[in-house]
Amino acid sequence: WEDQYTLSIRYMVSKGGSEALLQTLVDTARTASPDYDILLPLFRLLAKVGLRDKKFGQKALELEALDVTLILARKNLSHSQNLLHCLWALRVFAASVTTGAMLGINGAMELLFKVITPYTQKRTRIIRAATEVLAALLKSSNRRAVNRGYVTSLLKLHQDWHCHDAANAYVLIRRALLLCLKHIANLGSGREAFLAAQGMEILFSTTENCLDDNDLEPVVSIIIQILRQCYPKSTLPLVTATSAYTFSVPGSIPSETPCVLTEEDFEDDADEEVDKDSDSEDVKEQDDDLETDVNKLTSKPGLDRPEEELMQYEAMCVELSCNFEELESKPGDDLHFEETQDAKHSHIPTVTSPKQHCLNKDQSSWRQESQDTVQTSLLSMVKMGRSTMHPASKKGPGMNAYQNMQSSGLGIDSSGKEIPDIQVSLKQDAWDIDMISCPSISASFSNSARPTETAEVVDKLLQTYPKHLPFHDPHLYMAKSRRTRSVANFKMMAFPDFWGHCPPPSAQSMLERKRGVQRIKIFEDVQRLIQPCDVINKVVFSLDEPWSLQDTASDCLRFSSEFESGNLRKAIQVREREYDLLVNTDVNSSQHQQWFYFKVSGMRAAVPYRFNIINCEKPNSQFNYGMQPTLYSVKEALLGRPTWIRMGYEICYYKNHYRQSAAIAGGASEKCFYTLTFVVTFPHSEDACYLAYHYPYTYTALMTHLDILEKSVNPKQIYFRQEVLCQTLGGNSCPLVTITAMPESSSSDHLEQFRQRPYQVITARVHPGESNSSWVMKGALEFLVSSDPVARLLRENFIFKIIPMLNPDGVINGNHRCSLKGEDLNRQWLSPSAHLQPTIYHAKGLLYYLSRVGRSPRVFCDFHGHSQKKNVFLYGCSIKETLWQAESTVGTSTISEDITYRTLPKILDKLAPAFTMSSCSFLVEKSRASTARVVVWREMGVSRSYTMESSYCGCNQGPYQGLQFGTSELEEMGAMFCLGLLILELKSVSCSHQLLTHAATLLHADEEALDHHLQRRCSSSSSVTSELDDEPPCMEEIDYITDSSSDPEGSFSELDRQIQECAFNKDEGGEEEEGPGQGRKTTP
């Protein structure tokens, strides 16, 4: 009915109804004795029509209805019913900026302040209507209000109504008064007047005790907005806007002197800021960004280099030409495979259940050392055939996650053995926890106070540790770290990377967001400004000022980030147990602050510490939706539990008062910053703990992992070749890995089959802060060399070319997104430079070479991490879908396209617990034209060219719904991706009968059973997500102003209700007064 009603009014408007009603109003009002029996219904009708006529204000202005209404209002100040109707009309007029400004000029504000009185229980309907008109008016006349000193008057009215309305009967009047202040605060001079009138103190004091009062929600939400608007803006407490680290790029012009931050750099005369995400990869896709030029979508550009240069990549594809004898004599063959294999290196990355550490009760975990262990087939763990993960229970928001593990004084390793010696050692030598927690890269520990003793302690701990973690060796890590070159020339290793990480026995649930946590934190920030008595503001760590040594005797935490992948620039002790932290920008850049990784020590157990990372730059984060930072305790590791866990509570992410001028930010508008705040309760006193944005995975960890992988494989069965793709700008090697199966024999048929295997190309970690992509890659690598039947089939039928880390320099130096040149390498694929972007140049060259010799990969996939969505999903490329989405007039019927680009994501949707088809997208955007996905699709003609995005957070669908990702889930996704490649091949038209037969044999099933199994997996409708829902959903949204959702202030539904109510009660007569019950609404 409402829609029909609205349509009727709009029809009337289209026929000149608004003008007719306004003219009637003017004519009636100008008679000698205006007839209010006509005027009152006319006002009600005008208000209803005006709400639905966008040009109503302009029409009223032209027909002089504004002046007429103001005159009638002045004449009826003592007649409530007539005045109320005049106010309703003014409310509609004021919605237009032009007419609102004209009302202000004609004295409407002065009139309204005569109506709006201090607290009273009389004429409250009139007062409410007047305050709502004033609030609407101040959107366009806020400068006039400031000039006339109305800020002080509004604050006094607010105080009076707040103090006397103890029963909260007139919340909507109080809210309207606050809206008036909010609109004034949109103006720079309005904020100055508000601060001069002690507005911050007044609003803070009137609200601090009612933050959690549901009845006052409409009031508190507006107060929060005003406090945030009026909090004095300032620059970050940093010396420069650029990184603390600088790198001189060979052949480039030296950069200018870094911009020094001063208060003059900030301009505070703008209206409310508009959030802009500097990280374009996470921006919601806009239709106007879609590529609609059919020539660009369909054309295949030529080579970006001389063709003869491609021959250098022949040496990286020796598998295409070498004979069996050469393969037999490749490096590493002289190793005794049976002797060098440590326990059971080959394994399938899986997620373990809490009770049995495996998903199938009849099969053992890969972590068990038994040589007769039967390995779990990956096919038995696909999405629809596995049990749901059991989340780690949480007793409360502040619970220490380590309490879910063994918490006695003695260490307990995974086999149940006690480790008393380590605990005794810690008690006897508690003073060297800092040395142990950040070991020196040098074997001599020359920079330690007691080098020999420190080295002995580390050696003793390594000897005492009951067993090594799979695919990790601390001694090898230390040796590899000496070859890793960093800009800052790091001398120390982070203990978690050196010692290793073992996934926890169960997944952790997403943190439930505590209601009102954001406003509580904002109020604490405001309190810091207006009540600074307990504020310390002491710098306790700074990369810019390393000479100001920390006072280790004082009662403060100790910080460090000078190790590989570390990122913390500055730490300021704000209060006794609260610290403001600032992360470093990417090297040679003034942006991309997201990744953090640092060590903290000197804490007390069971004491809450608040950390505020105050220079984040993304306007949204999964930290608002259940994600927690990761924490690694050195003492826990030494007690036998070397585990990164999700930790922290009272977590929220919101815009703060720090700004950077447009000139320094390099954009068209000033740059806003955001605060990530969280509270941590540490498990031990005087521990050393590491905190990170996500599970770290360093370059040295990768190089260590690859060496161990190579030694773990049987060279007579698995072809595993590790070589250098190129050297990076920072002088580090970018590894290239080739994995396939050795030919069955040296016969010509077997060698030909070996050489004719199609390629699969996988890359990862082009963005350094996306460490989750490395864990996915780790799972894929370990799976491909495992003894799983699927892995054997993959090796026997494909050659895998893998570049596991495209941006080693960025990873090493703690960057979030860029190379040492300060460039996003995933925006350099169109025309990379061999000197400035060597890893991209040679990765593209290798793909060019494969294409030129007729060996383009079946699938190309670049692993990434996503900061604003959940689950795992793919981005692909489709001409038709892009044109359809853009509603292009170009006929798509004439365009031919390989539609199999959708097959792999559909397969993964059925197989992988973490994967969802509903977030996949196959649109080609202009802004992504230079990414790996689009360039490989367009220039190399690879129709199945993808970016695979893994959430930093976790899943909101499938078996892992409500759980945060751990490293096990990410590694499992890597294995599932490989399984998807096999099923993709088995389902393809070109798949040979021989492969199907071989697959059936290896998987212990006949061809019909295997075919039925795959068909069931790929056609079942039991998946959580629908295949029809292929467009990525809107990112989760959060109101950064308040923690609750409320009707938009511009909505006229409440005014509609008031008018309707008045129409029904028109026969009651007299001055209708609003009783306490009428004004008490929790939703405005």
Side-chain angles (χ1 to χ4, degrees):
W1 182 88
E2 180 63 27
D3 289 342
Q4 186 61 42
Y5 177 74
T6 300
L7 288 173
S8 299
I9 291 181
R10 286 179 177 168
Y11 178 77
M12 184 183 74
V13 169
S14 68
K15 298 300 181 181
S18 297
E19 291 89 337
L21 291 173
L22 289 166
Q23 190 61 57
T24 303
L25 169 65
V26 172
D27 294 341
T28 306
R30 286 178 173 172
T31 60
S33 299
D35 187 347
Y36 284 92
D37 288 337
I38 296 176
L39 284 174
L40 297 188
L42 184 57
F43 272 128
R44 291 196 294 269
L45 185 55
L46 277 168
K48 284 181 172 290
V49 172
L51 297 178
R52 296 161 178 86
D53 184 352
K54 294 181 179 180
K55 298 181 179 180
F56 191 74
Q58 186 62 36
K59 293 174 184 177
L61 183 61
E62 291 173 356
L63 293 172
E64 300 182 355
L66 297 185
D67 295 336
V68 165
T69 306
L70 279 174
I71 292 170
L72 289 175
R74 290 189 180 98
K75 289 180 178 179
N76 287 280
L77 287 176
S78 59
H79 195 291
S80 297
Q81 192 70 355
N82 296 350
L83 179 58
L84 181 62
H85 283 70
C86 292
L87 291 172
W88 284 341
L90 290 173
R91 171 73 178 85
V92 178
F93 295 153
S96 165
V97 174
T98 304
T99 52
M102 187 58 65
L103 285 171
I105 294 172
N106 291 342
M109 261 188 283
E110 290 75 11
L111 169 67
L112 293 170
F113 271 105
K114 292 179 181 179
V115 179
I116 303 170
T117 65
Y119 176 80
T120 177
Q121 293 187 0
K122 297 180 179 181
R123 292 168 57 91
T124 53
R125 188 188 298 273
I126 300 295
I127 294 173
R128 175 185 167 188
T131 53
E132 289 175 348
V133 176
L134 182 59
L137 198 61
L138 288 173
K139 284 187 176 181
S140 53
S141 299
N142 48 9
R143 194 176 301 278
R144 178 179 294 272
V146 173
N147 295 338
R148 304 212 171 185
Y150 288 146
V151 173
T152 302
S153 302
L154 286 168
L155 284 169
K156 288 181 179 178
L157 285 168
H158 161 73
Q159 282 182 293
D160 187 69
W161 279 88
H162 177 83
C163 294
H164 291 94
D165 186 23
N168 296 333
Y170 304 111
V171 168
L172 295 180
I173 293 177
R174 293 158 62 184
R175 178 180 184 272
L177 288 170
L178 289 165
L179 281 174
C180 295
L181 287 169
K182 177 180 179 292
H183 296 320
I184 290 175
N186 285 338
L187 199 65
S189 57
R191 293 191 288 273
E192 292 176 6
F194 178 84
L195 292 171
Q198 302 295 302
M200 297 288 282
E201 291 81 355
I202 291 171
L203 294 192
F204 181 87
S205 62
T206 57
T207 317
E208 60 180 335
N209 295 323
C210 53
L211 288 177
D212 56 352
D213 189 333
N214 288 335
D215 291 338
L216 290 178
E217 177 65 27
V219 170
V220 174
S221 63
I222 303 300
I223 287 177
I224 293 291
Q225 296 177 47
I226 298 171
L227 290 176
R228 299 185 65 186
Q229 280 177 292
C230 296
Y231 199 113
K233 307 301 183 289
S234 63
T235 56
L236 291 167
L238 291 173
V239 177
T240 64
T242 53
S243 173
Y245 300 140
T246 57
F247 176 78
S248 179
V249 179
S252 64
I253 300 173
S255 59
E256 298 177 0
T257 305
C259 297
V260 178
L261 295 178
T262 64
E263 291 298 329
E264 287 72 23
D265 292 322
F266 172 69
E267 301 170 359
D268 192 22
D269 58 357
D271 286 346
E272 281 187 289
E273 306 84 2
V274 177
D275 290 340
K276 292 185 178 179
D277 190 355
S278 61
D279 186 347
S280 59
E281 187 70 31
D282 293 322
V283 176
K284 180 183 174 183
E285 289 154 339
Q286 301 290 334
D287 285 353
D288 57 5
D289 186 37
L290 296 177
E291 181 58 78
T292 56
D293 187 330
V294 178
N295 290 329
K296 289 184 178 179
L297 288 170
T298 57
S299 63
K300 187 176 181 179
L303 279 174
D304 63 357
R305 66 197 76 191
E307 187 154 0
E308 54 269 20
E309 280 192 19
L310 297 182
M311 294 311 297
Q312 64 180 303
Y313 302 104
E314 183 179 6
M316 298 181 189
C317 300
V318 294
E319 62 276 0
L320 294 178
S321 57
C322 64
N323 57 42
F324 186 62
E325 287 73 21
E326 289 174 335
L327 288 172
E328 280 190 320
S329 63
K330 77 181 189 73
D333 232 23
D334 55 338
L335 298 173
H336 300 289
F337 172 70
E338 291 78 8
E339 296 177 5
T340 58
Q341 199 175 27
D342 185 15
K344 202 166 182 66
H345 272 309
S346 301
H347 78 280
I348 307 164
T350 65
V351 183
T352 58
S353 71
K355 293 183 179 179
Q356 300 178 356
H357 292 259
C358 63
L359 287 164
N360 190 321
K361 64 181 179 181
D362 298 322
Q363 296 162 327
S364 301
S365 165
W366 60 267
R367 294 187 180 91
Q368 297 177 348
E369 292 185 287
S370 174
Q371 293 295 325
D372 57 353
T373 296
V374 178
Q375 220 168 18
T376 306
S377 169
L378 193 64
L379 277 174
S380 68
M381 294 179 287
V382 295
K383 178 181 285 186
M384 294 180 294
R386 63 182 299 152
S387 59
T388 303
M389 278 290 298
H390 297 281
S393 61
K394 288 185 180 256
K395 298 178 182 177
M399 178 189 173
N400 187 335
Y402 279 111
Q403 292 176 9
N404 291 318
M405 307 178 191
Q406 174 70 28
S407 58
S408 65
L410 298 180
I412 306 293
D413 72 3
S414 57
S415 62
K417 299 177 183 178
E418 292 187 357
I419 317 169
D421 292 342
I422 294 178
Q423 180 68 354
V424 172
S425 175
L426 286 174
K427 289 180 179 179
Q428 292 175 346
D429 301 312
W431 50 267
D432 60 8
I433 186 67
D434 273 335
M435 295 182 190
I436 294 171
S437 66
C438 208
S440 169
I441 291 174
S442 169
S444 65
F445 292 84
S446 58
N447 60 337
S448 300
R450 304 201 287 181
T452 305
E453 291 186 18
T454 305
E456 289 176 355
V457 169
V458 173
D459 286 339
K460 179 182 177 182
L461 290 173
L462 289 172
Q463 293 169 7
T464 308
Y465 196 57
K467 70 170 187 176
H468 293 300
L469 300 173
F471 298 105
H472 185 74
D473 182 349
H475 292 289
L476 182 58
Y477 186 94
M478 180 178 286
K480 290 286 183 182
S481 67
R482 296 188 197 112
R483 303 177 185 177
T484 300
R485 302 182 64 177
S486 60
V487 172
N489 194 22
F490 297 133
K491 303 294 185 183
M492 312 298 285
M493 296 176 291
F495 187 88
D497 306 318
F498 162 73
W499 197 259
H501 157 75
C502 179
S506 56
Q508 291 181 255
S509 299
M510 291 182 196
L511 185 70
E512 184 177 350
R513 185 179 174 90
K514 178 182 175 184
R515 183 186 181 277
V517 63
Q518 179 173 297
R519 62 180 49 169
I520 291 171
K521 299 303 178 184
I522 291 171
F523 259 72
E524 291 176 0
D525 292 346
V526 172
Q527 186 177 25
R528 188 197 303 189
L529 172 70
I530 64 178
Q531 298 174 3
C533 55
D534 64 338
V535 175
I536 300 172
N537 266 347
K538 175 185 177 183
V539 176
V540 295
F541 172 78
S542 175
L543 292 178
D544 300 301
E545 304 155 317
W547 55 86
S548 57
L549 299 176
Q550 300 179 68
D551 181 5
T552 55
S554 64
D555 186 19
C556 68
L557 298 176
R558 299 184 294 277
F559 294 86
S560 174
S561 65
E562 295 161 293
F563 47 78
E564 186 177 350
S565 293
N567 191 328
L568 179 67
R569 182 170 183 173
K570 192 171 187 177
I572 304 169
Q573 185 179 21
V574 178
R575 298 185 179 99
E576 182 182 0
R577 297 189 185 95
E578 180 179 356
Y579 294 82
D580 279 354
L581 308 177
L582 294 102
V583 295
N584 210 2
T585 61
D586 285 3
V587 176
N588 282 345
S589 170
S590 60
Q591 56 182 340
H592 306 303
Q593 300 100 303
Q594 178 171 323
W595 171 258
F596 60 86
Y597 182 21
F598 59 88
K599 185 187 82 167
V600 59
S601 58
M603 69 286 290
R604 291 167 54 191
V607 172
Y609 291 88
R610 178 182 172 185
F611 298 99
N612 312 306
I613 299 178
I614 62 174
N615 64 332
C616 302
E617 66 174 16
K618 287 177 175 288
N620 204 350
S621 171
Q622 282 293 318
F623 283 116
N624 277 326
Y625 309 105
M627 188 169 91
Q628 295 171 284
T630 58
L631 180 142
Y632 187 106
S633 164
V634 171
K635 284 193 174 182
E636 284 291 315
L638 297 180
L639 292 170
R641 298 181 288 273
T643 302
W644 280 103
I645 62 168
R646 301 279 190 167
M647 179 69 89
Y649 55 99
E650 294 185 12
I651 299 174
C652 60
Y653 187 98
Y654 56 90
K655 185 192 291 184
N656 59 37
H657 64 282
Y658 292 107
R659 300 289 184 271
Q660 190 176 95
S661 70
I664 293 180
S669 60
E670 67 181 12
K671 181 176 179 179
C672 304
F673 292 98
Y674 299 79
T675 292
L676 164 64
T677 181
F678 57 94
V679 175
V680 172
T681 302
F682 294 101
H684 302 281
S685 292
E686 294 303 322
D687 193 2
C689 291
Y690 287 79
L691 286 162
Y693 181 87
H694 193 71
Y695 308 102
Y697 191 95
T698 64
Y699 168 76
T700 302
L702 169 67
M703 302 307 287
T704 303
H705 186 230
L706 292 178
D707 270 19
I708 296 175
L709 275 180
E710 186 168 15
K711 292 176 182 177
S712 74
V713 303
N714 186 342
K716 295 181 179 180
Q717 297 177 357
I718 301 175
Y719 179 88
F720 186 102
R721 178 182 174 88
Q722 181 187 169
E723 57 194 309
V724 177
L725 175 71
C726 64
Q727 294 294 315
T728 66
L729 287 178
N732 295 288
S733 299
C734 179
L736 169 66
V737 177
T738 305
I739 299 175
T740 189
M742 292 287 286
E744 292 184 34
S745 72
S746 58
S747 69
S748 58
D749 288 345
H750 287 154
L751 285 177
E752 184 65 19
Q753 189 276 340
F754 175 82
R755 293 167 182 161
Q756 291 303 316
R757 293 170 189 169
Y759 279 87
Q760 308 278 10
V761 177
I762 309 173
T763 62
R765 207 67 185 279
V766 70
H767 295 144
E770 295 169 7
S771 59
N772 42 1
S773 67
S774 281
W775 289 101
V776 176
M777 177 61 78
K778 180 176 184 288
L781 286 166
E782 290 178 11
F783 175 73
L784 287 173
V785 301
S786 73
S787 58
D788 187 272
V790 172
R792 283 205 298 270
L793 270 179
L794 285 165
R795 292 194 299 267
E796 290 168 0
N797 290 278
F798 297 107
I799 300 173
F800 287 85
K801 286 291 184 186
I802 299 172
I803 307 173
M805 192 171 283
L806 279 166
N807 192 350
D809 292 340
V811 172
I812 292 166
N813 293 286
N815 283 7
H816 170 62
R817 195 166 184 88
C818 296
S819 67
L820 291 185
K821 193 175 182 295
E823 294 176 327
D824 181 346
L825 289 180
N826 202 35
R827 296 296 185 274
Q828 306 300 323
W829 278 78
L830 274 178
S831 54
S833 162
H835 301 292
L836 300 179
Q837 302 99 22
T839 62
I840 305 303
Y841 181 86
H842 292 291
K844 186 178 182 181
L846 177 60
L847 286 161
Y848 263 142
Y849 174 76
L850 291 176
S851 177
R852 281 296 192 267
V853 297
R855 306 299 297 275
S856 289
R858 294 285 177 88
V859 170
F860 169 82
C861 192
D862 189 19
F863 291 173
H864 281 253
H866 207 288
S867 67
Q868 297 191 38
K869 288 186 180 181
K870 291 184 172 67
N871 311 306
V872 180
F873 49 94
L874 287 175
Y875 289 137
C877 301
S878 166
I879 299 174
K880 290 188 175 183
E881 290 196 38
T882 302
L883 295 176
W884 286 334
Q885 179 67 26
E887 298 180 351
S888 174
T889 56
V890 177
T892 56
S893 58
T894 60
I895 298 173
S896 60
E897 185 171 50
D898 181 356
I899 62 172
T900 60
Y901 64 85
R902 278 181 167 267
T903 307
L904 180 59
K906 286 182 178 180
I907 290 171
L908 292 174
D909 185 55
K910 304 304 178 185
L911 296 178
F915 194 90
T916 178
M917 184 73 180
S918 65
S919 290
C920 294
S921 173
F922 306 94
L923 306 179
V924 181
E925 308 90 345
K926 298 172 186 175
S927 61
R928 308 292 197 275
S930 55
T931 62
R933 164 177 63 97
V934 176
V935 169
V936 173
W937 168 74
R938 179 179 288 161
E939 297 189 22
M940 285 74 171
V942 179
S943 61
R944 292 184 288 267
S945 177
Y946 304 106
T947 297
M948 188 165 81
E949 301 275 3
S950 299
S951 172
Y952 287 108
C953 182
C955 284
N956 59 9
Q957 57 81 44
Y960 297 160
Q961 184 172 7
L963 301 180
Q964 298 182 78
F965 282 146
T967 56
S968 294
E969 290 78 31
L970 294 169
E971 290 185 56
E972 179 192 67
M973 186 63 234
M976 288 292 179
F977 178 81
C978 296
L979 171 59
L981 294 178
L982 176 64
I983 295 180
L984 175 67
E985 180 67 16
L986 293 175
K987 288 175 66 68
S988 69
V989 176
S990 61
C991 181
S992 66
H993 181 78
Q994 181 182 4
L995 174 56
L996 285 171
T997 304
H998 197 185
T1001 302
L1002 282 181
L1003 296 171
H1004 308 291
D1006 56 40
E1007 294 176 53
E1008 291 79 7
L1010 177 62
D1011 184 63
H1012 174 74
H1013 175 80
L1014 295 177
Q1015 289 297 327
R1016 177 175 64 84
R1017 296 295 183 195
C1018 297
S1019 62
S1020 171
S1021 61
S1022 63
S1023 174
V1024 174
T1025 56
S1026 167
E1027 291 184 12
L1028 297 177
D1029 183 15
D1030 288 329
E1031 293 308 315
C1034 294
M1035 293 183 298
E1036 295 164 287
E1037 296 179 357
I1038 190 161
D1039 184 352
Y1040 284 104
I1041 299 170
T1042 175
D1043 289 304
S1044 66
S1045 59
S1046 58
D1047 290 338
E1049 138 195 351
S1051 172
F1052 288 97
S1053 57
E1054 179 60 22
L1055 180 55
D1056 248 346
R1057 186 196 65 79
Q1058 294 177 51
I1059 295 170
Q1060 193 68 30
E1061 181 181 286
C1062 180
F1064 283 128
N1065 297 331
K1066 63 181 179 178
D1067 294 331
E1068 294 182 10
E1071 295 186 0
E1072 299 175 46
E1073 292 303 330
E1074 186 179 59
Q1078 291 175 284
R1080 189 171 183 170
K1081 287 178 64 66
T1082 57
T1083 303

